[in-house]
């Protein structure tokens, strides 16, 4: 299947994927950071293409399926339809923090269905968006084997305090009392554009604490599950799936759960096992690829118009 992911809401260059590697259209190597980030992994599932309409010429190709993350200018969806008239086009999310609601609704109303990675968050209701013809829930994938090959190491009794302040409305703020109550050595580092360097800073930590209150997707929770670090806190969608007992930003509650994880070996082990099993069964590259291959099958639709 020939697959393309297209957006107008990015500063990243267009690229093609070949056997897990990412290349510019002139086939010079791209940054390896895309192998750690869910949205950007979608083309890699099919040796496909990412097209940024802001910067690069579009390929003269024929695509079977296009995921259109058009979020800035609704005319760009019409352009895609003219360029690739035989492709099946589905809308999808890239960003929610800087989305244009009118553009989003235009894409929802003028594509075959809309791809959402969220399981627990009704993103349409949350932002007052139109309901798509078909609400298609497909997680953003994670390359588990690659992550483990690059970053697996022996865990130490350390806590990583996750911080993300580069995206609008996101932050992790800890009270002094909270910091003083932590039972292990802790460290932190700003989440930056280099996910390799960021992952290196926390890979040995047994726990990660995240007080970001926003309802984002939650790639960090996926990475923690893959590398055997327990994420504590946050309201993101993946956290609610992988670590359902460890959701929220209430400092007292999270400290109690941290204490339980440290003092109850069985609870610690079952928490990790649950997250790891679900990671493989729901978010792995092969599982997500299969879901995308099936989205044109009507027998995948339930009575509410949601494809699962």
């Amino acid at each position: 299947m020939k697959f393309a992911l297209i957006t107008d809401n990015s500063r990243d260059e267009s690229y093609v994927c070949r056997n897990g590697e990412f290349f510019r259209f002139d086939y010079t190597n791209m940054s390896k950071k895309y192998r750690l980030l869910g949205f950007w992994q979608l083309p890699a599932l099919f040796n496909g293409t990412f097209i940024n309409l802001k910067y690069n010429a579009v390929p003269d190709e024929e695509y079977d399926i296009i995921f259109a993350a058009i979020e800035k200018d609704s005319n760009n969806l019409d352009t895609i339809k003219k360029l690739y008239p035989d492709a099946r086009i589905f809308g999808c999310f890239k960003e929610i923090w800087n989305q244009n609601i009118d553009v989003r609704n235009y894409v929802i109303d003028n594509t075959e269905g809309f791809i959402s990675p969220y399981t627990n968050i009704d993103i349409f209701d949350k932002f007052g968006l139109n309901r798509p013809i078909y609400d298609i829930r497909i997680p953003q994938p994670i390359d588990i084997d690659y992550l483990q090959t690059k970053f697996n190491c022996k865990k130490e009794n350390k806590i990583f305090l996750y911080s993300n302040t580069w995206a609008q409305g996101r932050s992790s703020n800890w009270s002094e009392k909270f910091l003083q109550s932590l039972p292990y050595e802790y460290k932190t580092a700003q989440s930056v554009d280099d996910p390799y360097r960021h992952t290196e800073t926390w890979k040995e930590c047994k726990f990660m604490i995240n007080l970001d209150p926003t309802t984002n997707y939650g790639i960090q929770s996926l990475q923690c599950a893959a590398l055997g670090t327990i994420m504590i806190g946050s309201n993101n969608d993946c956290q609610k799936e992988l670590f359902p007992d460890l959701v929220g930003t209430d400092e007292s509650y999270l400290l109690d759960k941290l204490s339980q994880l440290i003092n109850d070996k069985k609870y610690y082990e079952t928490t990790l096992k649950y997250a790891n099993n679900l990671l493989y069964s729901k978010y792995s590259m092969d599982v997500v690829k299969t879901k995308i291959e099936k989205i044109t099958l009507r027998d995948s639709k339930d009575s509410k118009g949601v494809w699962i």
Side-chain angles (χ1 to χ4, degrees):
M1 184 172 72
K2 297 199 69 174
F3 176 91
L5 174 65
I6 304 179
T7 191
D8 60 357
N9 188 17
S10 175
R11 60 184 179 181
D12 294 82
E13 294 182 68
S14 300
Y15 56 78
V16 293
C17 299
R18 295 294 181 268
N19 300 319
E21 299 295 329
F22 294 73
F23 302 93
R24 298 178 179 85
F25 284 174
D26 63 3
Y27 279 89
T28 56
N29 281 7
M30 295 282 286
S31 167
K32 292 183 180 295
K33 72 175 185 179
Y34 301 106
R35 294 197 71 166
L36 304 186
L37 304 172
F39 174 85
W40 307 101
Q41 283 277 53
L42 289 167
L45 298 173
F46 301 98
N47 283 330
T49 305
F50 167 71
I51 302 170
N52 186 346
L53 295 177
K54 289 174 64 175
Y55 297 132
N56 298 89
V58 296
D60 183 15
E61 297 278 356
E62 292 184 2
Y63 294 108
D64 298 306
I65 288 185
I66 292 173
F67 282 12
I70 300 304
E71 299 175 333
K72 293 297 186 181
D73 185 347
S74 58
N75 291 323
N76 286 327
L77 179 62
D78 300 327
T79 298
I80 293 171
K81 290 182 175 183
K82 291 177 182 177
L83 288 168
Y84 306 111
D86 296 325
R88 303 197 68 174
I89 300 175
F90 298 85
C92 74
F93 286 107
K94 178 182 179 290
E95 305 288 352
I96 58 175
W97 67 274
N98 69 345
Q99 66 181 333
N100 181 306
I101 298 300
D102 291 336
V103 174
R104 181 77 76 203
N105 281 334
Y106 183 83
V107 174
I108 289 172
D109 293 343
N110 291 279
T111 50
E112 289 195 34
F114 198 87
I115 310 296
S116 169
Y118 296 90
T119 299
N120 295 280
I121 300 168
D122 187 335
I123 212 72
F124 305 101
D125 182 64
K126 179 177 175 63
F127 291 105
L129 298 170
N130 295 346
R131 288 283 168 183
I133 298 171
Y134 294 115
D135 174 2
I136 307 169
R137 307 297 176 90
I138 298 179
Q140 293 174 359
I142 182 169
D143 192 335
I144 303 167
D145 292 341
Y146 182 78
L147 263 172
Q148 292 177 346
T149 299
K150 290 292 184 181
F151 300 108
N152 256 356
C153 65
K154 182 179 179 180
K155 294 299 177 184
E156 301 177 17
N157 291 334
K158 294 181 180 179
I159 297 168
F160 185 82
L161 301 178
Y162 177 78
S163 179
N164 182 340
T165 57
W166 58 265
Q168 181 178 324
R170 301 188 64 179
S171 64
S172 287
N173 298 308
W174 309 278
S175 70
E176 190 61 32
K177 180 180 178 181
F178 178 79
L179 295 177
Q180 292 175 356
S181 299
L182 294 176
Y184 289 157
E185 171 189 346
Y186 65 85
K187 59 193 296 191
T188 190
Q190 174 64 37
S191 178
V192 293
D193 277 350
D194 183 354
Y196 274 79
R197 180 158 56 90
H198 186 250
T199 307
E200 284 287 346
T201 65
W202 64 262
K203 66 180 184 180
E204 82 281 7
C205 295
K206 189 174 287 187
F207 304 103
M208 183 180 296
I209 297 178
N210 182 358
L211 298 187
D212 180 359
T214 57
T215 51
N216 286 279
Y217 179 61
I219 286 293
Q220 195 68 65
S221 293
L222 294 178
Q223 292 178 353
C224 283
L227 296 178
T229 293
I230 294 181
M231 170 73 87
I232 301 171
S234 83
N235 293 319
N236 71 66
D237 191 77
C238 291
Q239 181 72 6
K240 293 175 180 177
E241 287 289 285
L242 296 166
F243 301 101
D245 199 33
L246 305 173
V247 174
T249 59
D250 181 270
E251 291 183 349
S252 178
Y253 174 78
L254 298 180
L255 284 172
D256 286 345
K257 300 311 291 185
L258 175 60
S259 178
Q260 184 179 357
L261 287 162
I262 291 172
N263 295 307
D264 186 338
K265 182 179 180 181
K266 183 177 180 181
Y267 179 56
Y268 173 83
E269 291 175 347
T270 55
T271 297
L272 267 183
K273 183 177 181 180
Y274 176 86
N276 190 256
N277 288 345
L278 185 59
L279 185 77
Y280 277 94
S281 65
K282 182 170 182 175
Y283 299 97
S284 67
M285 300 286 279
D286 288 343
V287 168
V288 175
K289 180 179 180 179
T290 298
K291 282 182 174 290
I292 293 174
E293 290 172 336
K294 289 182 176 179
I295 64 174
T296 58
L297 301 179
R298 290 301 177 98
D299 59 6
S300 295
K301 181 177 74 66
D302 71 17
S303 60
K304 297 180 181 178
V306 179
W307 290 8
I308 55 177

